[in-house]
Structure formats: C-alpha cells, structure tokens
Amino acid sequence: MNTLGTAITSPWGSILAIGAMTLVTFLCRIAGVVVMSRVRLTPRLERGLRALPGSIIVATILPAVLDNGLPAIVALTAAIVAMAVTRIDIVGLLVGLGTLSVIRVLG
C-alpha cells in the first residue's frame, strides 16, 4: 500500500479528512467573497441573492418532508406558522421538532 493509502486507513485518516474538508470549505467561502467583490450588484441580482437562502432551505427540506409523509408535513406547517408569527428562527425549529416528536409518540 502506498503512503497515502496507509495514512487514510490509519487512525489519523479521519483527522486528515476533516482537515481537508475544512480547508476546501474555507477556500470555497473565500472564493465567493473574492468573486462577488468583483461583481456589480444590480437590483435584480440583489433580489436573487436575498431569495437564495430560502430556496436552499426548500430544496433541502422538501424532499425529506415528502418522503416522510403526513407527520413531516404537519410538523413543517407548524414550524412555518410559528416562524411567521414570532419571526424567530429557533422558535420555528423547536415547534417543528416538538410537533414531529409528539406525532411520532402518539402513533
């Protein structure tokens, strides 16, 4: 086995993987800052950038909700209502998780 293969399979393999992922994440974030510092922000681009976090959340959560059926849909609805009423993210998270937990406990 070569040196890289030996390092990956050793106990240090996980630490090396985490370090590599940290470095890549950092470089991606820095690259985003560098690229966007050279782009002129038009009103249309600004609106798109403001909408981006919401669309990422929907793209991440919606498939999981649809796979888990009615309990997940009810919990997501409760979380959305809680966030709309309070405008506090953590409250929406706690309400959604609490609702899902209660539904699963009750059957």
Side-chain angles (χ1 to χ4, degrees):
M1 194 179 274
N2 61 17
T3 307
L4 181 60
T6 306
I8 290 173
T9 58
S10 75
W12 287 97
S14 298
I15 294 172
L16 290 172
I18 291 169
M21 289 186 287
T22 302
L23 179 65
V24 169
T25 301
F26 178 74
L27 291 175
C28 286
R29 288 178 177 249
I30 293 300
V33 170
V34 170
V35 168
M36 287 308 294
S37 70
R38 302 187 188 311
V39 174
R40 191 172 68 88
L41 289 179
T42 63
R44 181 178 180 193
L45 182 60
E46 225 173 296
R47 283 192 310 271
L49 289 173
R50 268 196 232 112
L52 194 57
S55 61
I56 291 171
I57 289 171
V58 169
T60 304
I61 292 177
L62 196 58
V65 168
L66 294 177
D67 285 345
N68 290 302
L70 187 61
I73 293 171
V74 172
L76 180 61
T77 304
I80 290 171
V81 168
M83 284 189 61
V85 170
T86 64
R87 299 274 187 209
I88 301 172
D89 295 342
I90 194 73
V91 171
L93 176 71
L94 293 174
V95 168
L97 289 174
T99 303
L100 186 60
S101 298
V102 169
I103 289 172
R104 287 187 175 171
V105 165
L106 295 178

